[in-house]
Amino acid sequence: HGEKKQEIEALLKAFAETVKTGSAQSMVHLGIAFHYKGFEDEAADLFRDASRVDPENHQAPFYLSVCEMRLGHGESAVQCAKIATERRPTWADYRNNLGEAYLMAGECGNAALEFEEAVRINTYYADAWFNLGLTFVTNAILQKESRLFANVISRAGDSFNRAVLIYPDYQT
């Protein structure tokens, strides 16, 4: 308990000092630390501040999108992920993240497009293949996007199988 308390106090002290320095990159790095410790609100504040300080920063909107998803803010997550993806359109992680945000927001068609682009960029991207399969199944349940209905079982199965081939832990 004491060690955890010291860690939190150190993070909060670093938070105050980082905001004073005005370094976008420092804010992003500290925001990532807060994010991995589960302090999503504080991390989101840092990513927003970093975006204001450096409007061209691509990491801040990417991680802000991740935080917004964890906080249950689907539409905001989509907007942030779009910004990051516009800044780095060939980064498969950013495409996958935008797909996850779309899926959370119930936009299965857009989610599928982003996952398909992620695996086009990196055919060995197990998470994107898995998410694509999940999108096919989710869309079938929600009956959202008719273009995704065709061969849904085989398309979902193919996506899941590819994910397992790349990352066998998906089997479980």
Side-chain angles (χ1 to χ4, degrees), residues 40-41 64-77 104-105:
E40 301 303 329
D41 289 319
L64 181 54
S65 173
V66 173
C67 289
E68 293 289 18
M69 279 191 276
R70 283 206 180 158
L71 292 167
H73 307 150
E75 292 301 320
S76 177
M104 181 182 189

Side-chain angles (χ1 to χ4, degrees), residues 99-156:
E100 289 177 340
Y102 275 133
L103 190 57
M104 181 182 189
E107 297 182 41
C108 296
N110 287 330
L113 290 173
E114 293 303 325
F115 296 135
E116 288 167 346
E117 182 63 15
V119 298
R120 189 195 64 73
I121 293 167
N122 178 1
T123 194
Y124 299 105
Y125 197 165
D127 291 346
W129 281 115
F130 183 84
N131 289 335
L132 182 58
L134 186 62
T135 301
F136 290 135
V137 172
T138 301
N139 186 70
I141 293 168
L142 300 177
Q143 299 182 0
K144 291 267 189 173
E145 188 73 37
S146 60
R147 76 167 181 87
L148 299 180
F149 293 153
N151 304 315
V152 67
I153 293 172
S154 65
R155 290 168 74 193

